[in-house]
Amino acid sequence: LTEDYIFANEGATLRAIYYGDYYDLGYGNWEIQLMETTGPINGAYFSIDIVTNSMDYAESAFIGEYEGVAESSLAPNTFLAGKDGSQFRIVEDDYIVNESGSYLFEGSVKIEQNGGSILVTIDCLDDLGHKISGTYDCSSIEMYDWNSMQ
């Protein structure tokens, strides 16, 4: 990024992919993907790698607040920050524009119920100190259990 990125997306899609105890911590690991549009995916796209405080495969399992940390500090209620972790990108016709966006290096992500949708609030910084901040109000929720496929 060359400047702060502030956003508010309504009617968005949240895709939650469950990996079980991927990091061998005794807690569930989820990849939370946030998309402005689907079919095709276009616009701002986030991929957030979180560790929950349970092993449940349920929408309620990833509701919570998460702080960005390095992989060596992963624990319940954290997300993997930095170049190997969570990121923001721009997608055009289902293809990620690799030079776009940035990685989430520090900050917090809050996922909460908002009536019939899920509200995700992101308050992070990239590696250059640019603010990546805003909300995704997700009325469409997709869940995938990739742990059962292993």
Side-chain angles (χ1 to χ4, degrees):
L1 293 177
T2 58
E3 61 186 359
D4 292 351
Y5 180 68
I6 311 299
F7 55 92
N9 294 315
E10 294 186 16
T13 297
L14 181 148
R15 182 177 292 155
I17 303 168
Y18 180 64
Y19 293 97
D21 187 12
Y22 181 82
Y23 293 108
D24 292 323
L25 298 171
Y27 299 98
N29 172 234
W30 293 80
E31 179 183 357
I32 303 297
Q33 298 175 355
L34 304 169
M35 297 160 278
E36 282 186 65
T37 66
T38 59
I41 300 170
N42 278 299
Y45 166 87
F46 283 85
S47 175
I48 304 167
D49 186 350
I50 66 172
V51 176
T52 64
N53 59 9
S54 81
M55 287 290 295
D56 295 341
Y57 173 73
E59 186 176 298
S60 61
F62 55 81
I63 301 297
E65 269 191 77
Y66 303 90
E67 292 297 318
V69 298
E71 186 171 350
S72 60
S73 298
L74 280 173
N77 301 313
T78 61
F79 73 85
L80 182 58
K83 290 193 179 201
D84 293 327
S86 304
Q87 59 185 298
F88 152 65
R89 296 286 182 242
I90 299 296
V91 176
E92 295 176 356
D93 294 326
D94 288 334
Y95 291 96
I96 294 174
V97 179
N98 287 322
E99 302 81 31
S100 68
S102 190
Y103 293 93
L104 307 180
F105 271 80
E106 63 180 79
S108 66
V109 173
K110 184 176 183 179
I111 305 171
E112 59 191 323
Q113 292 290 110
N114 186 34
S117 66
I118 292 181
L119 181 67
V120 181
T121 304
I122 297 170
D123 187 15
C124 293
L125 297 174
D126 73 1
D127 60 329
L128 299 176
H130 298 112
K131 190 171 197 60
I132 301 172
S133 180
T135 58
Y136 269 77
D137 192 350
C138 302
S139 54
S140 176
I141 313 300
E142 301 174 4
M143 293 183 54
Y144 301 93
D145 185 356
W146 286 10
N147 183 53
S148 65
M149 295 177 170
Q150 298 177 22

